[in-house]
Amino acid sequence: MKKRTIREPQITQHARHEHIRTGLNHEAIAQSFLDSLYFIQGRTQSLATRNDLYMALAYAVRDRLLSLWLMDARALENDIRADIKFVSYLSAEFLPGPHLGNNLINLGIYEETSKALRGLGYDLEELLGQEEEPGLGNGGLGRLASCFMDSLSTLHVPAIGYGIRYEFGIFDQEIRDGWQVEITDKWLGFGNPWEIHRPELSQSVNLGGRTEPYYDEHGKYRVRWLPAKVVKGVPCDTPILGYKSKICNTLRLWKAEAIESFDFKDFNVGDYYAAVNEKVFSETITKVLYPNDEPEIGKKLRLAQQYFFVSCSLKDMLRINRLLGSRIENLSRHFAAQLNDTHPSVAVAELMRLLVDEHNMEWEKAWQITHDTLGYTNHTLLPEALEKWPLNLFRSILPRHIEIIYEINRRFLDEVRLRYPANDEKAARLSIIDETNEKYVRMAHLATIGSHAVNGVAELHSELLKRDVLRDFYELWPAKFHNITNGVTPRRWILLSNPGLSSLITEKIGERWIKHLEDLRKLELLADDAHFGDKWRLVKRDNKSALATIIKERTGTVIDPDSMFDIQVKRIHEYKRQHLKIFHIITLYNRIKRDPDMEIAPRSFIFGGKAAPGYFMAKLIIKLINCVGEVVNNDPDVRGRLKVAFLPDFNVQTGHLVYPAADLSEQISTAGKEASGTGNMKFSMNGALTIGTLDGANIEIRQEVGAENFFLFGLTTEEVFDMKARGYNPREYYESSASLREVIDQINLGYFSKEDKKLFKPLADSLLDRDEYMLLADYQSYIDCQDEAGKAFLDGKKWTHMSILNVARMGKFSSDRSIREYCEKIWDAKQIRYDE
Ligand code: NBG
């Protein structure tokens, strides 16, 4: 990067200074960048590292956000105070992705900033690459929370995203010798210019200890909690701007620290090291993000994390409610709190505790408030992912909450028995406490009982919730259940990550689509326009080249941008069936080996995704992908036709490159297992065609884009249920299909692992013995469907036509639509109107 001579920032007069910190033209931005470099980073240009430059730019951009943030706070202080309602989105995970580029887009200053930097001899793209993204989530659930925050701000709905400021987010993934290696995430290593700590708004949180009944001065029976530990939660705030919007919401993440006075107590009795240990313990609470797909029973710290952030957040809501001049009885008029999965569901008990124990409210009234304030979104049907905590563990951390939960449960079961007299089985099924064997607290039950609304995240998923997982609750309270299909933000997932496509679209239909995604429909008229089609293909070709370059850099594998990019990126999990994709690759490989001259659309198979560190089978699948890649990529017989690449460390940032480059999007989970999926939406919005099962949101995507523009295969949910009920035998499929047998035998007998022939035996055995996710049953249908997709790709014009129609019909999947539905059906929240 070219360095210019030292240019000290000019100290400007006050009036100009205002302009420099908030102005949106390139001159103001340039000056403010130099100011930040000098006054905040303490660097001159000649000594500045790339990180200094990134930080300086981030601060300059943050200034511009802050002016909106503060304006917002002022608005809240004044006119609309009386009837303002905040959405409080409680989520243990947020995956915002890099902030800088997104903020530039949302402020509408991307070009001006690029120009400002160019004028100083710097390259914006290079500085964008310097940002370490906050990986404070595992996958779709956390990313959804961030898409929702973007939409809330864009739609002018006042909102606070409440979560945890993990010091170590999701690990960085490296691939060594084909295996996943986890490296600690260092997102805070070089400082985080986006957040502002607000120690004066800290909250204290109790943990452990015991409870004690007493009579208060009015002779009323009360209970107090005598905790073993108290920790402090410090809010770290990040402004979340919407797209060219006038409101800037807050992502408030809690960081655990030691309570000072607590240190002093030990210190005074001379136990200095005990005091230091206390501090160490306190800080552990927000140290690390846990994986969401590992058996987690017994993870005490995780429950402490959940309680910690929920308690801080609820107390913060009560504080704001007071600030608004509202009485505690009116909490639900000013707050709609959404539980993003069961992770924050202890909120039900905590809000009751705050109201009853600390605010001395009657139980019935407190219950009404709790119920009216909370809503619960379920994100999974997998039984092993439904959170439950061993009762004793729960009690050891939250002794008061377990009492409250028992009381909630007692009252609830009274209601159940009235409705279903003498039906103990039903009561046992509905109870918050699972007493089948060891006792557990079922968090989904607590959340369902304590919320006024429960929703699933795609139509099928919501139906299955009603039919299966929460069936008894649905019978009790049918009106409580809703569906709100997920969506993703087109700002990050098209505008920011696919500038080529964005300009092409805007050129044709104007830029209204960015906030009104249904406008994309207008592209339908262009689906057969040859000239437009050529441009469309060119954009895709460029995006593919860019991805190919990254893949080459990070893996050494060379892939041809003219081949079909067949991509599966998502967490590695057996139900998502990355190994089914591998079966397909091996099948094609075997075919070519047998008939080297066969005609086949050249394909590059690209995988990305992390496996939970303790999930053996998922890690073995990564190794298998790499081993198969090793054989296929180095076999001269298939050269030019098949390539396999595993792109390491898939995250939001790499997502920006991956979705726009795909021709074919793999959404191949076993029907009934993927609650929604959101990657499926990102791909299709960027012009990929989907090959998928009738699962999650695939079904609705197919409805929207049209069956003829979607490659459908596989068993339906009903068929999966039926087949399992009848006794599914995977071996029958193995016996009756020669090509399937060949694939499994090769995996099983070491064809792809010559140095350790038994390496993949556990995988093959689990498929032959049980095949929980029915790969064998879906194999033939998948292969046939892939053949069809391969053929279709050979007809470039036809493919482009389908690709355009996919994009044109994705309007429904904007997170703006999801948020509008939440506002209407669940939150009763309104968009603030500003006079333009
Ligand atoms: C995930 C589902 C996805 C869904 C996202 C967002 C969890 C527990 N669930 O299918 O597996 O798209 O949530 O709703 O992470």
Side-chain angles (χ1 to χ4, degrees), residues 140-141 144 292 341 343 379-380 457 486 575-576 674-678:
L141 175 129
L144 184 78
N292 63 352
D341 217 13
H343 318 140
H379 292 267
T380 184
V457 291
N486 284 343
Y575 87 78
K576 296 180 187 276
E674 188 70 272
S676 161
T678 44

Side-chain angles (χ1 to χ4, degrees), residues 89 93 138-145 148 292 340-343 377-382 385 456-458 461 484 486 571 575-576 673-681 696-697 822:
Y89 201 81
E93 303 190 6
N138 281 284
L141 175 129
R143 182 52 231 173
L144 184 78
F148 281 3
N292 63 352
N340 196 28
D341 217 13
T342 51
H343 318 140
T377 306
N378 172 289
H379 292 267
T380 184
L381 296 161
L382 298 187
V457 291
H461 170 233
I484 300 185
N486 284 343
R571 288 296 289 237
Y575 87 78
K576 296 180 187 276
K673 299 294 179 193
E674 188 70 272
S676 161
T678 44
N680 46 5
M681 302 170 186
Y822 276 99

